[in-house]
């Protein structure tokens, strides 16, 4: 599902914003991805419990999401456009345009133990949790 941030446009430029009350969780952390070399991907992991709102600050990017059974491709092309990333999705960010910046708002502090970084391990985790 795509969500949109707010935007104010004027002759002196544009200003994007997100009211935290519109998010379905209380933010604890913000990080951003930038300066991704052409052809590189980011993500390539899943989270066990973390909820995130990923949004486009600048440029274009393609997000691949898999719940272990179905794969979905979401293209973010409009500044401020974003997606709610629930736990239990293998995510890969690809096709970063030059100068692309992606912001990610999270409901928990950084915790390496919340990551699943191996796709086979992710598939095992999904089967154990939801059945195969
Ligand atoms: P990671 O989430 O693995 O990014 P990606 O999947 O895009 O490669 O983060 C890369 C590294 O950055 C991670 O190993 C530790 C560090 N990091 C933090 O210290 N704090 C954070 O909030 C995040 C997201 C990452």
């Amino acid at each position: 599902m795509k969500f949109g941030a707010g935007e104010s446009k004027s002759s002196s430029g544009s200003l994007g914003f997100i009211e935290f009350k519109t998010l379905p969780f209380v933010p604890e952390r913000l990080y951003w991805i930038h300066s991704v070399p052409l052809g590189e991907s980011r993500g390539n992991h899943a989270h066990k419990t973390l909820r995130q709102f990923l949004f486009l600050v600048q440029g274009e990017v393609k997000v691949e999401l898999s719940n272990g059974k179905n794969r979905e491709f979401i293209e973010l092309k409009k500044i401020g456009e974003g997606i709610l990333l629930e736990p239990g999705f293998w995510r890969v960010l690809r096709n970063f345009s030059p100068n692309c910046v992606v912001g990610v708002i999270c409901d928990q502090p950084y915790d390496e133990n919340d990551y699943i970084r191996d796709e086979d391990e992710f598939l095992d985790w999904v089967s154990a949790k939801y059945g195969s």
Side-chain angles (χ1 to χ4, degrees):
M1 197 190 319
K2 282 187 183 176
F3 284 75
E7 180 148 281
S8 159
K9 279 189 180 172
S10 76
S11 57
S12 55
S14 298
L15 180 155
F17 57 88
I18 295 172
E19 289 283 348
F20 286 172
K21 70 177 180 203
T22 62
L23 296 176
F25 56 78
V26 178
E28 274 283 335
R29 176 167 54 110
L30 165 69
Y31 70 90
W32 52 97
I33 299 167
H34 61 92
S35 311
V36 177
L38 213 59
E40 286 291 340
S41 68
R42 303 287 309 198
N44 296 293
H45 66 250
H47 282 282
K48 296 174 194 166
T49 64
L50 188 71
R51 301 182 79 192
Q52 300 175 298
F53 180 71
L54 181 153
F55 63 100
L56 190 67
V57 178
Q58 180 173 281
E60 291 185 12
V61 70
K62 192 167 168 182
V63 184
E64 183 181 323
L65 291 179
S66 165
N67 61 4
K69 289 197 169 116
N70 303 309
R71 210 170 282 269
E72 191 183 354
F73 298 88
I74 301 166
E75 282 186 299
L76 299 179
K77 293 187 165 189
K78 194 170 163 264
I79 290 176
E81 191 172 41
I83 47 180
L84 189 61
L85 281 181
E86 295 291 358
F89 282 87
W90 187 263
R91 81 284 306 275
V92 186
L93 279 66
R94 300 182 202 280
N95 297 16
F96 283 87
S97 65
N99 296 325
C100 179
V101 182
V102 174
V104 186
I105 300 172
C106 308
D107 75 338
Q108 295 170 36
Y110 174 77
D111 177 9
E112 185 59 36
N113 293 321
D114 194 67
Y115 282 74
I116 306 172
R117 292 193 181 273
D118 179 89
E119 198 164 5
D120 288 335
E121 198 183 309
F122 166 67
L123 295 174
D124 289 345
W125 181 87
V126 169
S127 302
K129 197 167 167 69
Y130 303 108
S132 45

